[in-house]
Structure formats: C-alpha cells, structure tokens
Amino acid sequence: MSIYKKLLLILGGIFFCWLLIEFVLMIAPSFLAFLRDPKTLLGGQKGSLKIYCIGDSFSYGMGMTHDKSYPFLLQEKLKELYPDKIIEVFNLGKPSHGLSYVYYTIKELHENIKDSNSTILVLGGWNVSDYDYARFDKEQSLKFSDKLKLFLNNFRTFRFIKSYYLFKKLYYPYGSEDYVPPFWAKTSYDFEKYQKINLDYLEKIANYAKDNNINLVFLNYPQNPPPQNPYTELEVNHFMFSQQKIDKDDYIIKNRNEKEIAINSLIRFIAQKYEIPLIEINAAFEDQKKEFEDLFLKEDGYHPSEKGQQVVAETVVNYFKLNPL
C-alpha cells in the first residue's frame, strides 16, 4: 500500500472518529434525559393536561435523582390537588443550557404538538454558552476573528475541549470544600453581554408566547450569594468566571429590586412588560429563614438541594391553587 493511501486512510479514520464524537455529544443530552424520564421523548397521554418545565440544571434537578426534582414532585402534588384530572409534568431541564435552548424548545413544542391543554414553566437564563457569546459578537462585528469564533463554536468537540481546560483551571474555595463550577465552555463570559443576550431571548420567548397564545409562566432563581470576593456581592456566575469588579451601574435593569441578581431582574422586567405570570421562587426560599442554607446543595452552594426542590414544587403548586388548571 502506498504512503498516500495510508495517509488517506489515517485522515479518513480521524474524520470518522471526529464525526462519531460529534454525534455522541449531540445525542447525549437527549439520551440521558430519556433514561431519566422516558416520557420526555415518548410523549404523554392523549387529552392529558401537560406542564412542560423548560430550563437548565435547576429544573433538571442537579445532584439528585429524577424523583427528587421539582417537576416530578410537582406532578405528585398536582395529582393530589386534582384527583379527577390526568396531569403530566415533563422535565425538559438540561444542565448548562440557556435561554436559546428554552426559546427553540418552546417553538418546537408549539409547532409539533400544538397542544392547547398545556402550560410552559420557564426557569432559564443562568447559563450563557460560548456559542451564544460568539453569535452575539458576530452580530456586533464584521471581524474575521468573530466569524471564525462562531464557526468553531458550532462544533461540540471544540466546545468540549475548551470545557476540559476550563474545568482543570477553575477551582475556588467554598467553605471547607473545593468548589468546581459548571464548565460547559463558558470561557467568553462578559457581564454586560450576559445580560443583553438573556434580555434578547426573554423578549423572543415572550413575543412568541403572546403571538401564539401559549400559556407561559416564568420562575425566578433562588439566590445564595457567592463567597466573599472583591468582584461581586451577588452574582455567582460572575464570581466563577470573571475577575472584573461590578457595581450597580453595570446592571441593565436600573430599577431592579435591592439584592436582586441580574437574571432575576431581567425575568421580572420581561414578566411585567408582557404581563406574564412570575412565580417568586427566590421569595419562597427567603421565607425559609431558619432552613435557608439547607435549601442549597452543599457541593456548590447555589443549586437547590432536596429540600430546596421541595420548596420550588410547593411554590409552583400554590400558584396553580390560585390559577386552576
């Protein structure tokens, strides 16, 4: 066999392996979601009242089994509240995904299912991926480097490699534990862009819901401040991914509530602007003053613990008591 044929076989093998890795990284989230809760892909019962919980790891139930996540608990509680109705709650939370995922998932649900007996609960915006930052930069710039960055961020392999190096790099002391932040390729974090990207997608979600008569409800995030640091008092994401000091003038929403993190102020702003119901998860957490610290995972300090997921579920059920299905 000639050296050229050997080289061609090697290059072909590398290309095939790359395609295989891309495919695995593409289907892995959906496959894991199926293993966790098969009905997310199989669909529900015909004629049932469906509630879709779309968001990130806060909805997914990071750090615990499916039966301890708030969507699962919500379904159990709603069965008790409405014993004569068939109610199905779908957990469409995907760790490290942002509002771009929420927006396109809502569109897909509406276009493919067209189910009027459904409610969509959205808890999103905590994450903004490098792909979102790259797309934002490309829209603001004609630089070749920004176009190249967006092109590369289309490939999951590229994002995974960046994630690996970020994972090795970022460790923070969190109490007595070493704190490792989520790391799905967030090397391009910028506080101003973070807010603008989230505001843009919240606007898109709200407009799409209004234009298509979708029953949409926002949830906000429970807040547990990061460890003391010189950069931020409130923003856990900023603590993890930036060493630039921010103050109140850096927030897009100038009349936000005191001690309200950026994403919660954006969610509140859009909810009020478009008259979309907002379920106050953070307020419910703050009401649990004696058990406040127990409502968050010890491993990271900001995801809801088992008790925290129960508070989320109970708060959402209270909403449905006032707004019957």
Side-chain angles (χ1 to χ4, degrees):
M1 183 182 295
S2 69
I3 188 170
Y4 296 107
K5 288 185 177 180
K6 288 182 179 179
L7 182 61
L8 189 62
L9 283 174
I10 292 172
L11 291 176
I14 293 172
F15 181 71
F16 175 78
C17 289
W18 172 71
L19 287 178
L20 182 61
I21 293 171
E22 279 286 308
F23 177 73
V24 169
L25 291 175
M26 179 180 69
I27 68 168
S30 297
F31 179 70
L32 293 174
F34 174 77
L35 292 179
R36 188 175 174 89
D37 184 12
K39 75 172 184 290
T40 58
L41 292 182
L42 297 177
Q45 300 180 51
K46 187 176 181 179
S48 65
L49 297 173
K50 297 179 178 63
I51 298 174
Y52 298 97
C53 302
I54 308 178
D56 47 36
S57 52
F58 286 76
S59 297
Y60 177 83
M62 179 63 74
M64 60 197 66
T65 55
H66 170 63
D67 61 342
K68 295 178 181 177
S69 66
Y70 102 77
F72 183 91
L73 298 173
L74 175 61
Q75 176 162 311
E76 297 303 301
K77 292 176 182 295
L78 288 176
K79 284 180 179 179
E80 296 176 4
L81 185 62
Y82 299 107
D84 298 328
K85 295 182 178 180
I86 302 174
I87 300 174
E88 295 183 290
V89 180
F90 296 80
N91 187 340
L92 301 183
K94 285 191 177 182
S96 294
H97 285 59
L99 284 172
S100 56
Y101 159 73
V102 173
Y103 172 61
Y104 290 111
T105 301
I106 290 173
K107 288 188 68 176
E108 184 179 359
L109 283 173
H110 175 71
E111 292 168 3
N112 295 337
I113 298 176
K114 297 187 181 300
D115 186 355
S116 59
N117 287 331
S118 64
T119 300
I120 295 178
L121 304 180
V122 171
L123 178 56
W126 187 271
N127 306 294
V128 175
S129 72
D130 272 5
Y131 182 82
D132 289 322
Y133 284 116
R135 182 164 49 191
F136 179 86
D137 288 338
K138 179 180 179 295
E139 291 171 353
Q140 307 296 315
S141 168
L142 296 176
K143 292 180 180 178
F144 173 76
S145 59
D146 289 326
K147 294 180 180 180
L148 178 62
K149 185 167 59 175
L150 179 60
F151 174 75
L152 291 174
N153 273 284
N154 278 297
F155 301 109
R156 290 169 175 80
T157 313
F158 177 76
R159 300 202 301 267
F160 185 81
I161 292 171
K162 285 204 304 180
S163 298
Y164 172 75
Y165 283 105
L166 183 63
F167 176 74
K168 291 183 66 175
K169 175 182 174 183
L170 290 180
Y171 284 85
Y172 295 95
Y174 201 104
S176 60
E177 303 290 334
D178 280 338
Y179 174 57
V180 183
F183 61 95
W184 189 251
K186 297 179 184 177
T187 58
S188 301
Y189 171 85
D190 176 272
F191 187 59
E192 182 180 9
K193 294 177 186 177
Y194 171 81
Q195 295 176 87
K196 288 182 176 179
I197 291 168
N198 275 325
L199 183 60
D200 179 56
Y201 273 112
L202 284 168
E203 290 266 12
K204 288 179 178 178
I205 291 167
N207 276 312
Y208 189 83
K210 289 293 183 182
D211 291 343
N212 294 282
N213 297 314
I214 295 172
N215 188 15
L216 181 70
V217 181
F218 284 136
L219 284 66
N220 65 8
Y221 285 91
Q223 298 179 196
N224 195 23
Q228 188 172 3
N229 66 91
Y231 313 116
T232 175
E233 293 182 7
L234 300 175
E235 307 290 339
V236 174
N237 265 324
H238 195 79
F239 160 71
M240 293 188 293
F241 298 113
S242 178
Q243 294 184 347
Q244 298 289 326
K245 179 177 174 56
I246 58 173
D247 57 35
K248 63 180 183 180
D249 293 330
D250 294 310
Y251 286 83
I252 289 179
I253 306 301
K254 301 304 180 184
N255 62 342
R256 80 187 207 285
N257 294 348
E258 187 179 4
K259 300 297 182 182
E260 187 173 50
I261 61 175
I263 184 57
N264 278 354
S265 69
L266 295 169
I267 293 170
R268 182 185 305 282
F269 173 77
I270 294 298
Q272 291 174 347
K273 179 179 177 179
Y274 291 89
E275 299 181 333
I276 296 171
L278 171 60
I279 300 178
E280 287 278 1
I281 301 301
N282 185 48
F285 271 57
E286 290 181 344
D287 287 343
Q288 309 286 321
K289 293 181 180 179
K290 291 183 179 180
E291 297 184 349
F292 183 77
E293 292 299 327
D294 294 332
L295 302 181
F296 299 91
L297 288 178
K298 301 300 181 185
E299 291 81 359
D300 62 26
Y302 67 92
H303 279 107
S305 64
E306 183 176 344
K307 286 184 179 180
Q309 292 282 344
Q310 291 171 1
V311 172
V312 177
E314 289 168 2
T315 306
V316 177
V317 168
N318 289 336
Y319 167 81
F320 284 116
K321 287 179 179 178
L322 298 174
N323 302 273
L325 289 165

